[in-house]
């Protein structure tokens, strides 16, 4: 139970380090469905699985508490709790499920005031879990939309550059680089706060951030050779943002040293394919 509460807290309120439950489940499901037709649904499947795991850990933890009570503490319509460990746990799980979502233990009744308090606490945790799950989803999908917009934005710039036979950095200059720097930093923050975000795979590769990151490195190199000081400064800002993102990806996704930005982004791109 305590493990379940700690994982909920880490996933929703303090996801600043790798190893959270959502991250581990996302990686496992992503590997299982990587080369199947279900790959675009990995993100939603992982999201539902994480919420179900939260509930299972909490309900199962409280059931362990109830099953360890003396037989006369939880009484049902047929008398005291059974002595068989398996049946006791099933009855306790039944009571825990009822307390978790309705504050009631159905046909079981608690025989002490402190046990009523524990059941009330489980009900409050259950209500909190509903609110936390909804809040998590509400915050996650805007972050998902931002990452897809970022990928589409850069992909459209690359396509425009190709059609017009021009250099997009030379034409748009520092304004474009500052915009891209903000998008890179936002994506870095979203990856830290929502590790499960990396397991949402669109059907179109051009909509992914991993597809366009190597091109941003090229933008930085081209802008760094500009004769305009403002453009070079903006290029340096984008370079700092890219290095910061590369460190996060290397540590949390690739689990390799962040030696070279281009190398990290290329490995990330291969992983996302």
């Amino acid at each position: 139970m305590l493990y379940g509460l700690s994982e909920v807290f880490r996933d929703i309120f303090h996801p600043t380090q790798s190893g959270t439950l959502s991250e581990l489940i996302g990686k496992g499901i992503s590997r299982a469905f990587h080369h199947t037709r279900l790959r675009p649904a990995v993100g939603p499947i992982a999201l539902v699985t994480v919420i179900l795991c939260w509930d299972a850990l909490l309900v199962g933890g409280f059931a362990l508490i109830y099953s360890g009570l003396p037989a006369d503490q939880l009484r049902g319509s047929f008398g005291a709790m059974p002595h068989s460990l398996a049946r006791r746990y099933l009855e306790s799980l039944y009571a825990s499920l009822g307390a978790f979502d309705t504050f009631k233990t159905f046909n079981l009744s608690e025989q002490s005031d402190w046990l009523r308090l524990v059941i009330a606490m489980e009900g409050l945790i259950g209500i909190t879990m509903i609110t936390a799950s909804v809040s998590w989803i509400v915050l996650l999908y805007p972050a998902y939309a931002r990452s897809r917009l970022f990928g589409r934005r850069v992909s459209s710039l690359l396509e425009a550059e190709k059609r017009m036979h021009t250099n997009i950095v030379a034409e748009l200059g520092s304004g474009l680089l500052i915009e891209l720097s903000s998008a890179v930093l936002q994506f870095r923050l979203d990856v830290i706060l929502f590790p499960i975000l990396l397991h949402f795979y669109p059907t179109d590769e051009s909509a992914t951030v991993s597809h366009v990151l190597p091109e941003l490195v090229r933008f930085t190199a081209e802008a760094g050779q500009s004769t305009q000081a403002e453009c070079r400064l903006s290029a340096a800002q984008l370079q700092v943002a890219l290095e910061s993102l590369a460190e996060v990806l290397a540590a949390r996704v690739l689990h390799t040293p962040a030696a070279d930005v281009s190398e990290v982004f290329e490995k990330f791109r291969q992983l996302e394919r």
Side-chain angles (χ1 to χ4, degrees):
M1 179 189 66
L2 293 178
Y3 173 74
L5 288 174
S6 67
E7 286 302 315
V8 172
F9 179 80
R10 290 183 64 196
D11 276 317
I12 297 179
F13 301 107
H14 192 59
T16 57
Q17 296 180 355
S18 60
T20 60
L21 183 64
S22 63
E23 186 176 3
L24 297 176
I25 290 176
K27 287 180 179 179
I29 294 179
S30 181
R31 290 171 183 169
F33 298 111
H34 188 74
H35 298 291
T36 68
R37 292 181 296 176
L38 291 176
R39 190 168 186 261
V42 165
I45 292 174
L47 183 63
V48 172
T49 303
V50 170
I51 295 175
L52 290 177
C53 284
W54 289 344
D55 294 339
L57 288 170
L58 295 173
V59 171
F62 275 102
L64 285 175
I65 295 176
Y66 302 148
S67 63
L69 296 174
D72 60 346
Q73 289 294 304
L74 268 178
R75 301 183 65 87
S77 56
F78 299 102
M81 293 275 283
H83 293 285
S84 168
L85 291 178
R87 288 194 60 191
R88 280 178 65 87
Y89 186 74
L90 287 177
E91 289 281 0
S92 299
L93 187 62
Y94 178 64
S96 182
L97 283 169
F100 192 74
D101 56 8
T102 65
F103 285 89
K104 297 180 180 179
T105 52
F106 301 124
N107 65 326
L108 297 173
S109 59
E110 57 277 8
Q111 301 299 309
S112 60
D113 292 336
W114 71 267
L115 185 55
R116 294 187 184 96
L117 179 61
V118 172
I119 291 173
M121 289 176 59
E122 183 178 5
L124 289 174
I125 291 175
I127 292 177
T128 303
M129 280 301 305
I130 295 174
T131 305
S133 300
V134 172
S135 300
W136 195 46
I137 294 172
V138 168
L139 293 173
L140 175 63
Y141 275 91
Y144 175 69
R146 287 192 296 268
S147 67
R148 293 295 167 258
L149 177 61
F150 180 26
R152 288 286 187 183
R153 167 67 169 148
V154 179
S155 294
S156 64
L157 287 171
L158 296 173
E159 181 63 24
E161 183 181 49
K162 181 179 178 181
R163 292 184 182 184
M164 298 300 295
H165 304 285
T166 186
N167 186 291
I168 201 74
V169 175
E171 294 296 331
L172 298 181
S174 61
L176 171 64
L177 299 175
I178 293 174
E179 175 192 345
L180 295 176
S181 298
S182 298
V184 169
L185 292 174
Q186 180 65 67
F187 179 70
R188 176 186 179 276
L189 181 60
D190 288 338
V191 167
I192 293 174
L193 295 179
F194 307 103
I196 200 172
L197 185 67
L198 295 174
H199 305 292
F200 280 74
Y201 303 107
T203 55
D204 185 3
E205 185 183 15
S206 64
T208 62
V209 176
S210 61
H211 179 74
V212 301
L213 284 176
E215 296 298 330
L216 298 186
V217 176
R218 176 175 67 86
F219 288 173
T220 302
E222 292 174 354
Q225 299 175 359
S226 173
T227 57
Q228 299 179 3
E230 182 181 4
C231 190
R232 293 197 303 273
L233 180 60
S234 300
Q237 180 180 349
L238 178 57
Q239 179 65 30
V240 171
L242 291 173
E243 290 174 355
S244 179
L245 175 60
E247 290 178 1
V248 172
L249 294 177
R252 300 178 63 111
V253 181
L254 304 174
H255 304 290
T256 58
D260 180 73
V261 173
S262 298
E263 182 180 352
V264 170
F265 289 160
E266 185 58 34
K267 288 182 179 179
F268 180 50
R269 184 177 183 178
Q270 295 298 327
L271 183 66
E272 292 283 285
R273 285 184 173 179

